[in-house]
Amino acid sequence: MSVKIGRNDPCWCGSGKKYKACHQAFDERIAMIASQGHIVPTHDLIKNADQIAGIRESCKINIAVLDYIEKHIHEGMNTAEIDKIVYDMTTEMGGIPAPLNYEGYPYSVCTSVNDQVCHGFPSKDVILKSGDIINVDVSTILNGYFSDSSRMFCIGDVSPEKKRLVEVTKECVELGLKEVKPWGFLGDMGQAVHDHAFANGYTVVREIGGHGVGLEFHEEPWVGYNTKRGQEMLLVPGMIFTIEPMVNMGKVDIYVDSKNDWEVYTEDGLPSAQWEIMVLVTEDGHEVLCW
């Protein structure tokens, strides 16, 4: 926001309005908050109406794919079958699976089972068994716009301890979402997630978090869940990011599989759960675009 815009110049957002009638007061408010030492978003993190419309269309595919998986995932299924479903459905609807070949990732989806924290590789050798919990993380590109969300699924007869982990993790997302409002801070959301997880005896992964999304797969800001109220980036209308805490039943420590440099596991071998939603900050609160 260092480029000087005249009051009567066209607004940077592309609305066609004069700057003084569009985003001048908005920018002045952000500058005032920045002067107090807070982290503030740059213009490129604020989506305009046309961009949000395109992102919504991408989200429709992402939601449809996860809805289908929710109805059809079952005991005895291998996770390579999930990968095929995601690829086939996404491409049939005109999209591209965003994970496929992203920084060398070789699949269309991440399928993380039990103690896998994230980035689990789909495989014919990973057969879902009764008692498993699995995170299916789907991301879509449509006409250059990105969407991203994930859900947990309980397979067969899951223990009460695992069910509780899955349920509390979803509650963490819901409580964090309540804190998403314009002119608040990412730390407001992060602390709500952290506090609920720890109150239930769990830990929240520190090294991996959410992210901005929409025009790229991963944008600023990085979204953590071991943060404090009033800290991290200022939230303003037009920002889009994911809330996706990875909650461990045991200790917070994780490691990355050295064989593929992708799959992440809990160090103590206890289960981990994650739900991911994609959120738009609005003028009066927030809107969940993808789940």
Side-chain angles (χ1 to χ4, degrees):
M1 291 188 284
S2 59
V3 177
K4 184 69 174 175
I5 304 174
R7 285 170 49 80
N8 293 309
D9 291 340
C11 187
W12 53 263
C13 74
S15 66
K17 298 178 182 178
K18 291 183 178 179
Y19 180 51
K20 65 184 179 183
C22 196
H23 273 91
Q24 183 175 353
F26 174 93
D27 282 351
E28 288 171 351
R29 186 172 182 180
I30 291 177
M32 183 270 292
I33 294 169
S35 72
Q36 298 170 355
H38 292 289
I39 304 167
V40 300
T42 51
H43 286 162
D44 60 327
L45 300 186
I46 301 167
K47 277 64 176 180
N48 63 34
D50 289 341
Q51 291 168 336
I52 292 169
I55 293 165
R56 285 185 199 281
E57 293 303 308
S58 178
C59 289
K60 288 178 182 178
I61 295 177
N62 219 70
I63 293 165
V65 171
L66 278 167
D67 283 348
Y68 183 91
I69 290 168
E70 188 164 349
K71 292 177 182 176
H72 294 88
I73 196 167
H74 60 270
E75 182 180 347
M77 183 182 210
N78 67 61
T79 54
E81 294 175 70
I82 298 173
D83 186 64
K84 186 175 189 306
I85 289 169
V86 171
Y87 179 83
D88 290 348
M89 279 195 70
T90 302
T91 54
E92 285 168 9
M93 297 176 75
I96 301 167
L100 187 59
N101 300 319
Y102 175 76
E103 295 186 353
Y105 187 81
Y107 301 101
S108 297
V109 67
C110 299
T111 52
S112 304
V113 183
N114 296 328
D115 64 328
Q116 285 184 318
V117 175
C118 61
H119 304 157
F121 279 14
S123 171
K124 291 181 180 179
D125 297 327
V126 179
I127 299 169
L128 298 178
K129 305 181 298 297
S130 180
D132 285 342
I133 59 172
I134 178 174
N135 176 268
V136 179
D137 191 347
V138 176
S139 310
T140 303
I141 311 169
L142 179 69
N143 300 324
Y145 294 109
F146 290 76
S147 54
D148 189 10
S149 59
S150 79
R151 301 180 196 173
M152 291 297 300
F153 302 106
C154 294
I155 307 301
D157 185 16
V158 173
S159 71
E161 292 80 9
K162 281 186 176 180
K163 280 185 180 178
R164 181 171 173 269
L165 174 67
V166 170
E167 290 165 359
V168 169
T169 304
K170 190 172 187 181
E171 291 168 3
C172 286
V173 173
E174 292 164 350
L175 290 169
L177 179 63
K178 289 181 180 179
E179 300 295 329
V180 177
K181 57 196 73 170
W183 312 107
F185 295 91
L186 268 177
D188 305 345
M189 179 278 298
Q191 181 160 4
V193 169
H194 174 276
D195 288 355
H196 190 64
F198 274 72
N200 283 275
Y202 303 135
T203 57
V204 185
V205 171
R206 297 170 297 203
E207 299 90 338
I208 310 169
H211 51 90
V213 63
L215 306 184
E216 301 289 344
F217 195 176
H218 295 95
E219 305 172 13
E220 292 296 324
W222 186 82
V223 181
Y225 311 99
N226 291 279
T227 53
K228 298 291 186 182
R229 292 186 182 278
Q231 296 182 2
E232 305 302 313
M233 187 175 284
L234 175 71
L235 301 177
V236 301
M239 287 178 64
I240 298 176
F241 59 92
T242 65
I243 302 177
E244 50 174 314
M246 299 161 201
V247 179
N248 294 349
M249 184 182 288
K251 295 181 180 179
V252 72
D253 307 281
I254 59 173
Y255 70 93
V256 180
D257 189 333
S258 59
K259 294 178 182 176
N260 55 50
D261 205 30
W262 274 106
E263 295 179 293
V264 181
Y265 294 82
T266 59
E267 199 165 278
D268 59 15
L270 291 176
S272 184
Q274 176 196 23
W275 295 82
E276 177 183 13
I277 61 173
M278 184 170 154
V279 183
L280 166 69
V281 182
T282 63
E283 294 289 343
D284 57 0
H286 59 257
E287 178 186 348
V288 179
L289 298 177
C290 203
W291 58 89

